[in-house]
Amino acid sequence: MVRTAIYPGSFDPATNGHFDIIKRSAKIFDHLIVAVGANPVKKYFFSLEERVAMLNEMVSDYPNIEVSHFDGLLVEYAARMNAVTIIRGLRAVSDFEYELELALMNRHLKRDVDTIFMMTDERYSFIRSSLVREVASLGGDISDKVPAVVERYLKKKFGSNSRTGPHRPPS
Ligand code: ADP
């Protein structure tokens, strides 16, 4: 039986922290779906197409990883994909409360879709997408925080020296 897991997120943009969780999960499960959220009430900095394209480039060498997107209820999507589990990453205690709430709600909605948490690698514990966007918008070096493709997309948005770049990140 093929064991499929889903790693959902905004990935706005994906960071080295996300990528680490992706690679580690893909070693445990036969098939990993990285599912990019397209929540109509959420404001994203990168479009769905951009977030999917960056992830596709990141995982192109990993045959058991697929990038997809979803809207609506994650548990319904997981059931449709025959996923045995949802993967989420945990950095600090501050992540815990929100993630617990989400996992309990998802389990309430669909009892047989469980959530598995993976601890961040210490190298990535302070990396979050919004901080990466902010630093990039101010012209800071984020090359060791994100995969090369993401750095390229950020530079394209902000210009190489960026206070004056064309776009500001959403607050
Ligand atoms: P969401 O909007 O669904 O929280 P994110 O893209 O912010 O989407 O995060 C997706 C998942 O990845 C979450 O479980 C988050 O805790 C986890 N994550 C984010 N950054 C890191 C990191 N640096 N290390 C490990 N996990 C992370």
Side-chain angles (χ1 to χ4, degrees):
M1 184 183 112
V2 174
R3 296 184 78 78
T4 297
I6 290 193
Y7 179 34
S10 302
F11 306 108
D12 191 25
T15 66
N16 285 342
H18 290 124
F19 197 23
D20 177 58
I21 302 281
I22 290 172
K23 287 186 282 192
R24 285 159 62 199
S25 309
K27 280 192 199 155
I28 300 172
F29 294 94
D30 303 312
H31 178 212
L32 178 71
I33 301 175
V34 182
V36 181
N39 182 343
V41 297
K42 245 183 169 172
K43 273 200 93 179
Y44 300 101
F45 178 65
F46 285 103
S47 69
L48 177 63
E49 290 71 26
E50 288 171 319
R51 289 179 286 139
V52 167
M54 284 185 267
L55 281 160
N56 265 324
E57 203 170 314
M58 283 162 56
V59 305
S60 60
D61 290 338
Y62 300 83
N64 69 331
I65 305 178
E66 175 189 346
V67 179
S68 186
H69 61 88
F70 72 101
D71 52 18
L73 279 179
L74 172 63
V75 284
E76 297 296 345
Y77 177 71
R80 273 204 313 280
M81 296 293 119
N82 291 319
V84 292
T85 191
I86 293 168
I87 309 239
R88 296 287 286 178
L90 281 180
R91 282 157 297 186
V93 183
S94 51
D95 278 342
F96 181 79
E97 206 171 323
Y98 172 69
E99 292 292 344
L100 174 67
E101 213 175 84
L102 208 65
L104 291 180
M105 177 55 84
N106 282 335
R107 197 158 148 69
H108 165 77
L109 292 170
K110 233 181 208 1
R111 207 143 180 87
D112 49 355
V113 180
D114 245 310
T115 303
I116 289 181
F117 294 101
M118 203 170 269
M119 299 298 163
T120 186
D121 184 291
E122 60 185 348
R123 284 171 296 173
Y124 310 126
S125 61
F126 295 104
I127 305 183
R128 63 186 157 84
S129 303
S130 54
L131 189 59
V132 161
R133 286 195 310 263
E134 191 174 332
V135 171
S137 79
L138 298 170
D141 179 17
I142 37 92
S143 56
D144 61 344
K145 306 280 182 278
V146 296
V149 53
V150 174
E151 191 185 2
R152 218 173 62 230
Y153 270 70
L154 283 165
K155 281 201 169 135
K156 203 162 75 191
K157 285 265 187 206
F158 292 120
S160 18
N161 187 0
S162 26
R163 257 169 215 276
T164 52
H167 304 281
R168 306 280 306 168
S171 50

